[in-house]
């Protein structure tokens, strides 16, 4: 059943991206068809790495030995690579490189840079380790923006690992949980169309502004700019009220300055009377 399901998913995905070639700006859709992997290759991988492939991933490899679909976009007069979906073949499903980070003597390894358990968040799943406690294999190189990995946790030396999850390792060597199974990750990858840095949507910092622009252009129905929610469990959006935004503000009336009252000096009444008689004389003239 899973073999038929993965075959249908690949065919549907291929037909969908054939249709996108007719959309404005999308061109050069490339789909690398690969023959199914042989069962002996899967058994050899399990014996070599002492890990049991999950049933869904095993059925995927028995349908196609890896997966690659890429597409470009025309930006003005320049062709820019945008979408890329990759699942490594069985031969490329190699352990995460454990070599030295630097080419200097006594340089630290990834295991030396591992974090302690007390620094991990208690509310999330237990993070993978670079030492013997975890066995990590690369599923997708993510064009250099990190790595999507198949992770076996709580491993015991000499015992075949059974349970695995899919995690995203960013360039700063921080782990971010993606899905509990390969099938869930495959569906997630199709949903995001292989857009640049789509895995960063599951990190606290999110994708870059340029990646957000691509997502808003080609994934407008499922794109969200900010994963954080307010108290009402709704996305924080910039809500614009035209009635308030374009309504003219009434200026408050300018207060009139009170002129200081003039206190009449001695003889003020006489001067007032003289002023009145002078005005009368002017009128008569």
């Amino acid at each position: 059943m899973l073999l038929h399901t993965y075959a249908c998913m690949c065919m549907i995905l291929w037909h969908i991206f054939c249709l996108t070639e007719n959309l404005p700006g999308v061109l050069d859709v490339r789909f690398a068809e690969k023959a199914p992997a042989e069962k002996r290759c899967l058994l050899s991988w399990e014996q070599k790495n002492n890990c049991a492939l999950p049933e869904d991933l095993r059925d995927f490899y028995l349908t196609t030995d890896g997966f690659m679909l890429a597409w470009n976009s025309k930006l003005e007069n320049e062709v820019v690579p945008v979408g890329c979906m990759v699942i490594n073949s069985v031969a490329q499903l190699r352990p995460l490189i454990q070599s030295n980070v630097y080419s200097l003597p006594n340089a630290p390894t990834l295991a030396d840079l591992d974090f302690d358990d007390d620094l991990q968040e208690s509310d999330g799943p237990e993070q993978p380790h670079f030492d013997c406690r975890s066995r990590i294999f690369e599923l997708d190189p993510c064009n250099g923006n990190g790595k999507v990995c198949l992770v076996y946790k709580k491993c015991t030396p000499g015992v075949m690992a059974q349970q695995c999850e899919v995690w995203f390792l960013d360039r700063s060597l921080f782990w971010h949980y993606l899905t509990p199974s390969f099938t869930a990750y495959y569906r997630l990858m199709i949903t995001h169309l292989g857009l640049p840095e789509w895995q960063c949507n599951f990190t606290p910092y999110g994708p870059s502004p340029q990646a957000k622009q691509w997502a808003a252009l080609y994934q407008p129905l499922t794109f969200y700019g900010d994963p954080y929610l307010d108290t009402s469990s709704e996305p924080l959006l910039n809500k614009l009220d035209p009635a308030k935004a374009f309504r003219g503000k009434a200026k408050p009336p300018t207060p009139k300055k009170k002129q200081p009252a003039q206190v009449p000096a001695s003889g003020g009444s006489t001067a007032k009377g003289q002023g009145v008689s002078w005005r009368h004389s002017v009128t008569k003239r």
Side-chain angles (χ1 to χ4, degrees):
M1 180 62 68
L2 283 175
L3 289 175
H4 178 70
T5 301
Y6 281 119
C8 291
M9 292 174 70
C10 292
M11 292 302 297
I12 291 174
L13 186 62
W14 167 242
H15 287 297
I16 289 176
F17 275 85
C18 285
L19 294 176
T20 57
E21 286 185 323
N22 298 324
L23 297 177
V26 177
L27 51 94
D28 193 16
V29 179
R30 304 182 307 279
F31 178 70
E33 298 184 12
K34 297 184 179 181
E38 298 181 359
K39 289 186 178 180
R40 61 180 181 86
C41 295
L42 302 181
L43 293 174
S44 176
W45 186 93
E46 291 179 335
Q47 294 175 359
K48 177 181 179 181
N49 298 287
N50 204 16
C51 294
L53 285 172
E55 184 179 357
D56 53 358
L57 184 56
R58 174 190 294 272
D59 292 334
F60 174 81
Y61 280 131
L62 292 177
T63 304
T64 174
D65 189 13
F67 173 83
M68 196 283 291
L69 192 149
W71 53 279
N72 299 336
S73 179
K74 188 174 183 180
L75 188 62
E76 295 182 350
N77 295 326
E78 183 180 359
V79 177
V80 180
V82 180
C84 184
M85 307 182 194
V86 175
I87 299 294
N88 284 337
S89 63
V90 178
Q92 294 175 331
L93 192 63
R94 295 185 290 263
L96 198 66
I97 298 176
Q98 300 292 327
S99 60
N100 291 346
V101 180
Y102 306 101
S103 58
L104 299 176
N106 300 324
T109 62
L110 290 177
D112 297 328
L113 300 178
D114 205 352
F115 294 97
D116 296 331
D117 293 334
D118 55 355
L119 298 178
Q120 297 183 5
E121 298 180 359
S122 58
D123 54 347
E126 180 185 354
Q127 294 189 5
H129 297 276
F130 294 114
D131 54 16
C132 60
R133 289 174 289 179
S134 300
R135 298 170 189 171
I136 307 169
F137 305 92
E138 182 180 327
L139 273 178
D140 183 359
C142 302
N143 290 327
N145 295 318
K147 294 180 184 295
V148 174
C149 299
L150 189 71
V151 178
Y152 294 83
K153 297 187 298 185
K154 299 180 180 180
C155 298
T156 303
V159 178
M160 178 169 287
Q162 300 290 336
Q163 301 294 330
C164 64
E165 299 169 340
V166 180
W167 288 71
F168 174 63
L169 179 65
D170 63 17
R171 299 181 64 179
S172 59
L173 301 181
F174 278 92
W175 289 104
H176 308 279
Y177 177 78
L178 292 181
T179 59
S181 64
F182 171 76
T183 301
Y185 172 74
Y186 188 84
R187 293 172 178 172
L188 199 65
M189 178 183 64
I190 294 177
T191 303
H192 288 84
L193 305 178
L195 290 169
E197 304 177 26
W198 70 265
Q199 295 90 353
C200 294
N201 287 315
F202 301 91
T203 64
Y205 48 82
S208 63
Q210 183 179 4
K212 290 181 179 180
Q213 292 178 354
W214 287 120
L217 178 62
Y218 290 108
Q219 199 187 13
L221 298 180
T222 56
F223 169 73
Y224 51 92
D226 195 344
Y228 298 101
L229 303 176
D230 59 7
T231 55
S232 61
S233 299
E234 295 182 355
L236 297 176
L237 303 177
N238 292 329
K239 298 179 180 179
L240 177 64
D241 187 357
K244 295 181 179 180
F246 299 102
R247 183 178 60 187
K249 295 183 179 180
K251 295 183 179 181
T254 305
K256 296 181 179 180
K257 295 182 179 180
K258 295 182 67 176
Q259 297 181 354
Q262 296 181 356
V263 180
S266 59
S269 58
T270 306
K272 184 177 179 181
Q274 291 178 355
V276 172
S277 61
W278 177 80
R279 284 197 296 268
H280 283 294
S281 62
V282 172
T283 305
K284 289 180 181 180
R285 289 180 185 177

mmCIF file of all heavy atoms in Angstrom, residues 142-181:
data_model
loop_
_atom_site.group_PDB
_atom_site.id
_atom_site.type_symbol
_atom_site.label_atom_id
_atom_site.label_comp_id
_atom_site.label_asym_id
_atom_site.label_seq_id
_atom_site.Cartn_x
_atom_site.Cartn_y
_atom_site.Cartn_z
ATOM 1 N N CYS A 142 19.900 20.766 1.943
ATOM 2 C CA CYS A 142 19.239 22.081 2.037
ATOM 3 C C CYS A 142 20.028 23.202 1.368
ATOM 4 O O CYS A 142 19.969 24.356 1.812
ATOM 5 C CB CYS A 142 18.960 22.449 3.494
ATOM 6 S SG CYS A 142 17.953 21.261 4.385
ATOM 7 N N ASN A 143 20.771 22.877 0.309
ATOM 8 C CA ASN A 143 21.537 23.893 -0.428
ATOM 9 C C ASN A 143 22.470 24.704 0.466
ATOM 10 O O ASN A 143 22.699 25.894 0.240
ATOM 11 C CB ASN A 143 20.594 24.840 -1.181
ATOM 12 C CG ASN A 143 19.902 24.156 -2.338
ATOM 13 O OD1 ASN A 143 20.458 23.265 -2.976
ATOM 14 N ND2 ASN A 143 18.675 24.559 -2.608
ATOM 15 N N GLY A 144 23.016 24.075 1.494
ATOM 16 C CA GLY A 144 23.954 24.769 2.366
ATOM 17 C C GLY A 144 23.323 25.585 3.466
ATOM 18 O O GLY A 144 24.041 26.221 4.240
ATOM 19 N N ASN A 145 21.984 25.591 3.576
ATOM 20 C CA ASN A 145 21.300 26.361 4.616
ATOM 21 C C ASN A 145 21.027 25.536 5.865
ATOM 22 O O ASN A 145 20.231 25.926 6.708
ATOM 23 C CB ASN A 145 19.979 26.910 4.077
ATOM 24 C CG ASN A 145 20.182 27.916 2.973
ATOM 25 O OD1 ASN A 145 21.065 28.756 3.053
ATOM 26 N ND2 ASN A 145 19.372 27.829 1.926
ATOM 27 N N GLY A 146 21.699 24.417 6.010
ATOM 28 C CA GLY A 146 21.477 23.513 7.123
ATOM 29 C C GLY A 146 21.419 22.086 6.610
ATOM 30 O O GLY A 146 21.811 21.798 5.471
ATOM 31 N N LYS A 147 20.889 21.184 7.422
ATOM 32 C CA LYS A 147 20.752 19.794 7.017
ATOM 33 C C LYS A 147 19.492 19.211 7.649
ATOM 34 O O LYS A 147 19.254 19.401 8.843
ATOM 35 C CB LYS A 147 21.972 18.965 7.454
ATOM 36 C CG LYS A 147 23.274 19.352 6.752
ATOM 37 C CD LYS A 147 24.427 18.493 7.229
ATOM 38 C CE LYS A 147 25.749 18.950 6.609
ATOM 39 N NZ LYS A 147 25.764 18.755 5.143
ATOM 40 N N VAL A 148 18.722 18.502 6.848
ATOM 41 C CA VAL A 148 17.621 17.701 7.368
ATOM 42 C C VAL A 148 18.153 16.298 7.607
ATOM 43 O O VAL A 148 18.741 15.682 6.721
ATOM 44 C CB VAL A 148 16.438 17.681 6.386
ATOM 45 C CG1 VAL A 148 15.353 16.728 6.876
ATOM 46 C CG2 VAL A 148 15.864 19.079 6.222
ATOM 47 N N CYS A 149 17.961 15.807 8.822
ATOM 48 C CA CYS A 149 18.609 14.556 9.229
ATOM 49 C C CYS A 149 17.590 13.554 9.757
ATOM 50 O O CYS A 149 16.580 13.919 10.364
ATOM 51 C CB CYS A 149 19.652 14.825 10.318
ATOM 52 S SG CYS A 149 20.992 15.931 9.800
ATOM 53 N N LEU A 150 17.893 12.295 9.492
ATOM 54 C CA LEU A 150 17.187 11.167 10.088
ATOM 55 C C LEU A 150 17.934 10.805 11.360
ATOM 56 O O LEU A 150 19.117 10.441 11.311
ATOM 57 C CB LEU A 150 17.144 9.997 9.112
ATOM 58 C CG LEU A 150 16.267 8.809 9.461
ATOM 59 C CD1 LEU A 150 14.799 9.183 9.342
ATOM 60 C CD2 LEU A 150 16.578 7.621 8.558
ATOM 61 N N VAL A 151 17.272 10.910 12.506
ATOM 62 C CA VAL A 151 17.942 10.824 13.795
ATOM 63 C C VAL A 151 17.394 9.647 14.593
ATOM 64 O O VAL A 151 16.171 9.516 14.780
ATOM 65 C CB VAL A 151 17.752 12.129 14.597
ATOM 66 C CG1 VAL A 151 18.410 12.008 15.965
ATOM 67 C CG2 VAL A 151 18.326 13.313 13.837
ATOM 68 N N TYR A 152 18.306 8.785 15.039
ATOM 69 C CA TYR A 152 18.002 7.718 15.992
ATOM 70 C C TYR A 152 18.548 8.159 17.349
ATOM 71 O O TYR A 152 19.746 8.429 17.488
ATOM 72 C CB TYR A 152 18.656 6.405 15.568
ATOM 73 C CG TYR A 152 18.118 5.820 14.284
ATOM 74 C CD1 TYR A 152 18.580 6.268 13.052
ATOM 75 C CD2 TYR A 152 17.171 4.801 14.304
ATOM 76 C CE1 TYR A 152 18.098 5.730 11.866
ATOM 77 C CE2 TYR A 152 16.684 4.249 13.121
ATOM 78 C CZ TYR A 152 17.156 4.718 11.909
ATOM 79 O OH TYR A 152 16.680 4.185 10.744
ATOM 80 N N LYS A 153 17.694 8.231 18.342
ATOM 81 C CA LYS A 153 18.099 8.696 19.666
ATOM 82 C C LYS A 153 18.126 7.543 20.659
ATOM 83 O O LYS A 153 17.559 6.478 20.424
ATOM 84 C CB LYS A 153 17.144 9.798 20.154
ATOM 85 C CG LYS A 153 17.157 11.054 19.285
ATOM 86 C CD LYS A 153 16.349 12.179 19.889
ATOM 87 C CE LYS A 153 14.890 11.827 20.043
ATOM 88 N NZ LYS A 153 14.090 12.976 20.536
ATOM 89 N N LYS A 154 18.805 7.785 21.792
ATOM 90 C CA LYS A 154 18.928 6.816 22.875
ATOM 91 C C LYS A 154 19.509 5.494 22.366
ATOM 92 O O LYS A 154 18.955 4.416 22.617
ATOM 93 C CB LYS A 154 17.574 6.592 23.551
ATOM 94 C CG LYS A 154 16.983 7.843 24.187
ATOM 95 C CD LYS A 154 15.648 7.553 24.846
ATOM 96 C CE LYS A 154 15.080 8.823 25.474
ATOM 97 N NZ LYS A 154 13.764 8.569 26.120
ATOM 98 N N CYS A 155 20.586 5.603 21.641
ATOM 99 C CA CYS A 155 21.218 4.418 21.059
ATOM 100 C C CYS A 155 22.156 3.764 22.064
ATOM 101 O O CYS A 155 22.779 4.436 22.894
ATOM 102 C CB CYS A 155 21.983 4.798 19.795
ATOM 103 S SG CYS A 155 20.933 5.468 18.479
ATOM 104 N N THR A 156 22.268 2.464 21.940
ATOM 105 C CA THR A 156 23.169 1.675 22.774
ATOM 106 C C THR A 156 24.194 1.001 21.881
ATOM 107 O O THR A 156 23.825 0.408 20.854
ATOM 108 C CB THR A 156 22.390 0.614 23.563
ATOM 109 O OG1 THR A 156 21.370 1.264 24.346
ATOM 110 C CG2 THR A 156 23.304 -0.172 24.480
ATOM 111 N N PRO A 157 25.468 1.097 22.195
ATOM 112 C CA PRO A 157 26.483 0.450 21.352
ATOM 113 C C PRO A 157 26.227 -1.052 21.218
ATOM 114 O O PRO A 157 25.960 -1.742 22.200
ATOM 115 C CB PRO A 157 27.794 0.742 22.089
ATOM 116 C CG PRO A 157 27.509 1.978 22.890
ATOM 117 C CD PRO A 157 26.077 1.878 23.296
ATOM 118 N N GLY A 158 26.305 -1.544 19.973
ATOM 119 C CA GLY A 158 26.100 -2.950 19.704
ATOM 120 C C GLY A 158 24.664 -3.376 19.548
ATOM 121 O O GLY A 158 24.391 -4.541 19.234
ATOM 122 N N VAL A 159 23.704 -2.470 19.755
ATOM 123 C CA VAL A 159 22.276 -2.781 19.642
ATOM 124 C C VAL A 159 21.714 -2.015 18.456
ATOM 125 O O VAL A 159 21.983 -0.817 18.286
ATOM 126 C CB VAL A 159 21.516 -2.410 20.934
ATOM 127 C CG1 VAL A 159 20.021 -2.699 20.782
ATOM 128 C CG2 VAL A 159 22.094 -3.153 22.120
ATOM 129 N N MET A 160 20.910 -2.684 17.612
ATOM 130 C CA MET A 160 20.332 -2.034 16.438
ATOM 131 C C MET A 160 19.266 -1.037 16.861
ATOM 132 O O MET A 160 18.342 -1.375 17.617
ATOM 133 C CB MET A 160 19.740 -3.082 15.492
ATOM 134 C CG MET A 160 19.076 -2.475 14.257
ATOM 135 S SD MET A 160 18.644 -3.684 12.992
ATOM 136 C CE MET A 160 20.288 -4.077 12.361
ATOM 137 N N ALA A 161 19.384 0.198 16.385
ATOM 138 C CA ALA A 161 18.410 1.239 16.702
ATOM 139 C C ALA A 161 17.156 1.048 15.860
ATOM 140 O O ALA A 161 17.234 0.687 14.683
ATOM 141 C CB ALA A 161 19.016 2.616 16.454
ATOM 142 N N GLN A 162 15.986 1.332 16.458
ATOM 143 C CA GLN A 162 14.718 1.070 15.795
ATOM 144 C C GLN A 162 13.945 2.358 15.482
ATOM 145 O O GLN A 162 13.518 2.568 14.357
ATOM 146 C CB GLN A 162 13.849 0.157 16.669
ATOM 147 C CG GLN A 162 14.478 -1.195 16.967
ATOM 148 C CD GLN A 162 14.542 -2.094 15.752
ATOM 149 O OE1 GLN A 162 13.759 -1.939 14.802
ATOM 150 N NE2 GLN A 162 15.479 -3.046 15.764
ATOM 151 N N GLN A 163 13.760 3.212 16.462
ATOM 152 C CA GLN A 163 12.932 4.396 16.312
ATOM 153 C C GLN A 163 13.754 5.578 15.805
ATOM 154 O O GLN A 163 14.898 5.770 16.226
ATOM 155 C CB GLN A 163 12.271 4.768 17.640
ATOM 156 C CG GLN A 163 11.397 3.663 18.214
ATOM 157 C CD GLN A 163 10.183 3.383 17.347
ATOM 158 O OE1 GLN A 163 9.672 4.276 16.665
ATOM 159 N NE2 GLN A 163 9.713 2.143 17.365
ATOM 160 N N CYS A 164 13.163 6.362 14.906
ATOM 161 C CA CYS A 164 13.867 7.537 14.369
ATOM 162 C C CYS A 164 12.885 8.675 14.160
ATOM 163 O O CYS A 164 11.661 8.475 14.083
ATOM 164 C CB CYS A 164 14.582 7.199 13.059
ATOM 165 S SG CYS A 164 13.484 6.735 11.718
ATOM 166 N N GLU A 165 13.432 9.891 14.064
ATOM 167 C CA GLU A 165 12.673 11.115 13.832
ATOM 168 C C GLU A 165 13.403 11.946 12.786
ATOM 169 O O GLU A 165 14.548 11.654 12.429
ATOM 170 C CB GLU A 165 12.520 11.915 15.135
ATOM 171 C CG GLU A 165 11.789 11.183 16.243
ATOM 172 C CD GLU A 165 11.892 11.908 17.576
ATOM 173 O OE1 GLU A 165 12.824 12.739 17.733
ATOM 174 O OE2 GLU A 165 11.072 11.636 18.455
ATOM 175 N N VAL A 166 12.742 12.994 12.331
ATOM 176 C CA VAL A 166 13.341 13.899 11.353
ATOM 177 C C VAL A 166 13.563 15.246 12.027
ATOM 178 O O VAL A 166 12.622 15.847 12.560
ATOM 179 C CB VAL A 166 12.458 14.056 10.103
ATOM 180 C CG1 VAL A 166 13.116 14.996 9.099
ATOM 181 C CG2 VAL A 166 12.201 12.691 9.458
ATOM 182 N N TRP A 167 14.821 15.711 11.998
ATOM 183 C CA TRP A 167 15.213 16.967 12.630
ATOM 184 C C TRP A 167 15.916 17.847 11.613
ATOM 185 O O TRP A 167 16.449 17.373 10.612
ATOM 186 C CB TRP A 167 16.144 16.717 13.812
ATOM 187 C CG TRP A 167 15.472 16.131 15.016
ATOM 188 C CD1 TRP A 167 14.981 14.852 15.144
ATOM 189 C CD2 TRP A 167 15.215 16.780 16.260
ATOM 190 N NE1 TRP A 167 14.446 14.676 16.388
ATOM 191 C CE2 TRP A 167 14.580 15.839 17.095
ATOM 192 C CE3 TRP A 167 15.477 18.052 16.754
ATOM 193 C CZ2 TRP A 167 14.187 16.148 18.400
ATOM 194 C CZ3 TRP A 167 15.096 18.361 18.053
ATOM 195 C CH2 TRP A 167 14.454 17.421 18.856
ATOM 196 N N PHE A 168 15.943 19.156 11.921
ATOM 197 C CA PHE A 168 16.656 20.131 11.103
ATOM 198 C C PHE A 168 17.819 20.682 11.910
ATOM 199 O O PHE A 168 17.645 21.179 13.030
ATOM 200 C CB PHE A 168 15.730 21.262 10.670
ATOM 201 C CG PHE A 168 16.425 22.381 9.942
ATOM 202 C CD1 PHE A 168 17.042 22.153 8.724
ATOM 203 C CD2 PHE A 168 16.465 23.663 10.479
ATOM 204 C CE1 PHE A 168 17.693 23.177 8.047
ATOM 205 C CE2 PHE A 168 17.100 24.692 9.807
ATOM 206 C CZ PHE A 168 17.718 24.445 8.588
ATOM 207 N N LEU A 169 19.026 20.574 11.352
ATOM 208 C CA LEU A 169 20.236 21.107 11.971
ATOM 209 C C LEU A 169 20.642 22.373 11.233
ATOM 210 O O LEU A 169 20.980 22.335 10.043
ATOM 211 C CB LEU A 169 21.362 20.072 11.915
ATOM 212 C CG LEU A 169 22.709 20.478 12.502
ATOM 213 C CD1 LEU A 169 22.605 20.694 14.008
ATOM 214 C CD2 LEU A 169 23.781 19.438 12.192
ATOM 215 N N ASP A 170 20.572 23.527 11.910
ATOM 216 C CA ASP A 170 20.914 24.776 11.244
ATOM 217 C C ASP A 170 22.420 24.964 11.210
ATOM 218 O O ASP A 170 23.189 24.147 11.718
ATOM 219 C CB ASP A 170 20.199 25.969 11.898
ATOM 220 C CG ASP A 170 20.624 26.168 13.353
ATOM 221 O OD1 ASP A 170 21.659 25.622 13.767
ATOM 222 O OD2 ASP A 170 19.916 26.886 14.084
ATOM 223 N N ARG A 171 22.858 26.045 10.628
ATOM 224 C CA ARG A 171 24.283 26.284 10.426
ATOM 225 C C ARG A 171 25.020 26.626 11.715
ATOM 226 O O ARG A 171 26.248 26.578 11.761
ATOM 227 C CB ARG A 171 24.476 27.403 9.398
ATOM 228 C CG ARG A 171 23.900 27.068 8.029
ATOM 229 C CD ARG A 171 24.131 28.167 7.033
ATOM 230 N NE ARG A 171 25.534 28.372 6.770
ATOM 231 C CZ ARG A 171 26.015 29.275 5.921
ATOM 232 N NH1 ARG A 171 25.178 30.058 5.243
ATOM 233 N NH2 ARG A 171 27.302 29.417 5.732
ATOM 234 N N SER A 172 24.283 26.963 12.755
ATOM 235 C CA SER A 172 24.918 27.220 14.052
ATOM 236 C C SER A 172 24.899 25.983 14.942
ATOM 237 O O SER A 172 25.139 26.091 16.148
ATOM 238 C CB SER A 172 24.214 28.381 14.762
ATOM 239 O OG SER A 172 22.846 28.090 14.949
ATOM 240 N N LEU A 173 24.588 24.804 14.347
ATOM 241 C CA LEU A 173 24.601 23.511 15.039
ATOM 242 C C LEU A 173 23.554 23.427 16.132
ATOM 243 O O LEU A 173 23.754 22.765 17.161
ATOM 244 C CB LEU A 173 25.993 23.213 15.613
ATOM 245 C CG LEU A 173 27.150 23.160 14.596
ATOM 246 C CD1 LEU A 173 28.457 22.833 15.298
ATOM 247 C CD2 LEU A 173 26.861 22.141 13.506
ATOM 248 N N PHE A 174 22.405 24.088 15.911
ATOM 249 C CA PHE A 174 21.260 23.937 16.799
ATOM 250 C C PHE A 174 20.237 23.024 16.129
ATOM 251 O O PHE A 174 20.004 23.104 14.921
ATOM 252 C CB PHE A 174 20.619 25.293 17.129
ATOM 253 C CG PHE A 174 21.322 26.047 18.220
ATOM 254 C CD1 PHE A 174 22.313 26.965 17.910
ATOM 255 C CD2 PHE A 174 20.998 25.840 19.553
ATOM 256 C CE1 PHE A 174 22.972 27.669 18.914
ATOM 257 C CE2 PHE A 174 21.643 26.531 20.556
ATOM 258 C CZ PHE A 174 22.632 27.445 20.239
ATOM 259 N N TRP A 175 19.610 22.173 16.944
ATOM 260 C CA TRP A 175 18.632 21.214 16.449
ATOM 261 C C TRP A 175 17.216 21.781 16.547
ATOM 262 O O TRP A 175 16.889 22.466 17.521
ATOM 263 C CB TRP A 175 18.709 19.905 17.233
ATOM 264 C CG TRP A 175 19.929 19.090 16.956
ATOM 265 C CD1 TRP A 175 21.029 18.963 17.746
ATOM 266 C CD2 TRP A 175 20.170 18.286 15.791
ATOM 267 N NE1 TRP A 175 21.948 18.124 17.157
ATOM 268 C CE2 TRP A 175 21.441 17.693 15.955
ATOM 269 C CE3 TRP A 175 19.439 17.997 14.642
ATOM 270 C CZ2 TRP A 175 21.990 16.841 15.004
ATOM 271 C CZ3 TRP A 175 19.986 17.147 13.696
ATOM 272 C CH2 TRP A 175 21.236 16.577 13.873
ATOM 273 N N HIS A 176 16.387 21.472 15.529
ATOM 274 C CA HIS A 176 14.990 21.896 15.511
ATOM 275 C C HIS A 176 14.142 20.717 15.040
ATOM 276 O O HIS A 176 14.374 20.159 13.961
ATOM 277 C CB HIS A 176 14.793 23.104 14.589
ATOM 278 C CG HIS A 176 15.732 24.242 14.872
ATOM 279 N ND1 HIS A 176 15.514 25.143 15.890
ATOM 280 C CD2 HIS A 176 16.909 24.595 14.289
ATOM 281 C CE1 HIS A 176 16.514 26.019 15.919
ATOM 282 N NE2 HIS A 176 17.365 25.710 14.949
ATOM 283 N N TYR A 177 13.164 20.366 15.850
ATOM 284 C CA TYR A 177 12.329 19.200 15.566
ATOM 285 C C TYR A 177 11.386 19.491 14.395
ATOM 286 O O TYR A 177 10.766 20.560 14.327
ATOM 287 C CB TYR A 177 11.529 18.842 16.817
ATOM 288 C CG TYR A 177 10.575 17.693 16.633
ATOM 289 C CD1 TYR A 177 11.039 16.384 16.626
ATOM 290 C CD2 TYR A 177 9.216 17.919 16.490
ATOM 291 C CE1 TYR A 177 10.159 15.319 16.474
ATOM 292 C CE2 TYR A 177 8.334 16.869 16.339
ATOM 293 C CZ TYR A 177 8.807 15.569 16.328
ATOM 294 O OH TYR A 177 7.930 14.526 16.165
ATOM 295 N N LEU A 178 11.271 18.536 13.477
ATOM 296 C CA LEU A 178 10.376 18.684 12.334
ATOM 297 C C LEU A 178 9.188 17.737 12.418
ATOM 298 O O LEU A 178 8.060 18.174 12.643
ATOM 299 C CB LEU A 178 11.149 18.452 11.024
ATOM 300 C CG LEU A 178 12.200 19.507 10.656
ATOM 301 C CD1 LEU A 178 12.867 19.160 9.333
ATOM 302 C CD2 LEU A 178 11.578 20.895 10.581
ATOM 303 N N THR A 179 9.409 16.432 12.244
ATOM 304 C CA THR A 179 8.308 15.481 12.198
ATOM 305 C C THR A 179 8.707 14.182 12.899
ATOM 306 O O THR A 179 9.894 13.862 13.014
ATOM 307 C CB THR A 179 7.907 15.159 10.743
ATOM 308 O OG1 THR A 179 9.049 14.621 10.049
ATOM 309 C CG2 THR A 179 7.422 16.401 10.020
ATOM 310 N N PRO A 180 7.710 13.379 13.318
ATOM 311 C CA PRO A 180 8.027 12.101 13.958
ATOM 312 C C PRO A 180 8.277 10.973 12.976
ATOM 313 O O PRO A 180 8.704 9.890 13.386
ATOM 314 C CB PRO A 180 6.770 11.815 14.795
ATOM 315 C CG PRO A 180 5.669 12.482 14.034
ATOM 316 C CD PRO A 180 6.278 13.702 13.418
ATOM 317 N N SER A 181 8.018 11.174 11.680
ATOM 318 C CA SER A 181 8.193 10.095 10.697
ATOM 319 C C SER A 181 8.611 10.683 9.359
ATOM 320 O O SER A 181 8.466 11.893 9.105
ATOM 321 C CB SER A 181 6.894 9.298 10.532
ATOM 322 O OG SER A 181 5.873 10.117 9.991
#
